[in-house]
């Protein structure tokens, strides 16, 4: 089966930047809203940013002004630009799809392996 592929993570110092990439060959991203999620040990996976078909975006308060989600439908890819990273951003980041921003809260479509982001001095 096809599955989501997340990439672009790494280890950076506080204040640094990373650009995450989400792709999946088995679906047409242009037909869906897509969200980025993060998960740390002992905590439930949480939706942090989403982008709908009409290019509207939503973010949780903790990342507003620092993270930017975007999409390139021609490349069937969604990105998460992460600036001014803080240690509390450390997590494994995942992507998934839904029919709307609200639907993404409960998205559960064949999760990928995620990409690790570590922010530390």
């Amino acid at each position: 089966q096809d599955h989501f592929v997340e990439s672009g993570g790494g280890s950076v110092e506080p204040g640094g930047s990373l650009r995450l990439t989400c792709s999946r060959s088995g679906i047409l991203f242009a037909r869906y809203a897509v969200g980025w999620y993060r998960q740390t040990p002992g905590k439930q996976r949480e939706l942090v940013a989403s982008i709908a078909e009409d290019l509207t975006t939503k973010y949780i308060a903790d990342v507003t002004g620092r993270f930017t989600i975007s999409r390139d439908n021609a490349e069937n890819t969604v990105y998460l630009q992460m600036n001014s990273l803080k240690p509390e951003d450390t997590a494994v980041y995942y992507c998934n799809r839904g029919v709307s921003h609200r639907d993404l809260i409960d998205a559960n479509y064949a999760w990928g392996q995620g990409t690790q982001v570590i922010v530390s001095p």
Side-chain angles (χ1 to χ4, degrees):
Q1 290 185 324
D2 292 321
H3 56 83
F4 291 100
V5 177
E6 300 93 347
S7 62
S11 181
V12 299
E13 296 183 353
S17 297
L18 288 170
R19 189 191 190 209
L20 308 185
T21 298
C22 168
S23 63
R24 179 169 178 148
S25 63
I27 63 172
L28 187 62
F29 274 18
R31 298 180 179 179
Y32 298 96
V34 178
W36 278 99
Y37 308 73
R38 65 187 180 189
Q39 186 171 33
T40 57
K43 298 179 66 176
Q44 185 175 350
R45 179 158 35 209
E46 65 173 347
L47 176 66
V48 299
S50 57
I51 183 167
E53 293 180 68
D54 63 3
L55 302 183
T56 58
T57 58
K58 291 186 178 296
Y59 305 89
I60 60 171
D62 287 349
V63 308
T64 298
R66 299 188 299 118
F67 292 7
T68 302
I69 188 170
S70 62
R71 65 193 304 159
D72 186 341
N73 289 336
E75 296 292 332
N76 211 44
T77 301
V78 173
Y79 305 96
L80 185 67
Q81 179 67 46
M82 309 165 68
N83 298 327
S84 301
L85 284 162
K86 301 184 290 186
E88 48 263 50
D89 296 318
T90 296
V92 178
Y93 284 73
Y94 303 85
C95 60
N96 216 302
R97 61 85 174 132
V99 300
S100 66
H101 291 293
R102 190 171 300 277
D103 181 64
L104 286 168
I105 297 173
D106 298 315
N108 190 29
Y109 188 80
W111 297 98
Q113 295 297 312
T115 185
Q116 176 73 63
V117 171
I118 300 175
V119 185
S120 64

